[in-house]
Each structure stands twice: as C-alpha cells, then as structure tokens.
Amino acid sequence: MALRDIFSRRFYEKHLTQEQADEIMRHKNRNTRHLKFLIFTQKKCKFCGSTENPTVDHIIPVSITGRKRKYDLSNKQLLCRDCNRKKGSKIVIHS
C-alpha cells in the first residue's frame, strides 16, 4: 500500500464511518474517491438539493487555477449533472 493511501484511509476514517471509508478505499481512482466522499458528507446538490446524478464540481475551475488545485478536495463540491452543466467554468458563490 502506498504511503499516500495510508493517509487517505486515515482521512476518510476520521470523517466517515468505517463502512463508508472501506467503500471509498475500494476505488483506485482519486476522483471516484472524492465523489464518494462528497456523496457521504454533503448528500445532495449544493445548488438545487437534488440527489440524482451526482458529480464533482471544482468550485474554482481548473481552467482558472491550473492543475495545482485539480485534486484539492477543498476546491470540490457536489452538484447534480444539470447544475454542473449550467455552472460550466464560472465561479458561482451559492449558499
């Protein structure tokens, strides 16, 4: 197991139940892990409240920040597919 996977597991175990952390760690892809984490913690679209078709959205788009924040979990939010398409590559502050 790679060192970063150990830290990832610790992070997920700190914020989720053991079963949820195990579910996330089954996935090798970091983006899939982030999507699962956001589904477990946020549960619904940040804009409309939908639980259908969840996607990971970059709060500050990668086209603006470049690759440096692409994998930063603090720059991600859970949006449904429709809201993510409407937002596009804009920065939208929504409470």
Side-chain angles (χ1 to χ4, degrees):
M1 182 181 293
L3 187 58
R4 75 173 163 220
D5 288 337
I6 293 169
F7 290 121
S8 294
R9 178 171 281 287
R10 285 184 185 157
F11 173 81
Y12 294 128
E13 288 174 348
K14 180 179 177 183
H15 296 287
L16 303 170
T17 67
Q18 182 66 45
E19 294 80 25
Q20 291 171 331
D22 289 343
E23 166 78 22
I24 287 175
M25 292 307 293
R26 278 194 270 273
H27 299 283
K28 301 285 186 209
N29 183 295
R30 190 178 342 185
N31 288 329
T32 305
R33 287 181 181 181
H34 287 180
L35 176 61
K36 289 281 190 183
F37 178 75
L38 291 173
I39 290 170
F40 286 141
T41 57
Q42 296 180 7
K43 302 200 182 354
K44 58 187 177 182
C45 174
K46 195 104 172 187
F47 289 0
C48 73
S50 172
T51 56
E52 300 295 315
N53 302 313
T55 62
V56 174
D57 173 64
H58 293 91
I59 298 167
I60 302 172
V62 175
S63 61
I64 295 171
T65 63
R67 295 186 56 85
K68 64 183 177 184
R69 293 202 61 198
K70 183 175 182 177
Y71 297 111
D72 184 359
L73 191 56
S74 67
N75 187 38
K76 294 184 178 183
Q77 62 187 349
L78 189 67
L79 296 183
C80 69
R81 188 177 0 179
D82 292 337
C83 288
N84 200 348
R85 285 182 182 157
K86 288 176 193 171
K87 178 183 172 277
S89 61
K90 299 181 289 269
I91 299 174
V92 178
I93 306 300
H94 197 280
S95 53

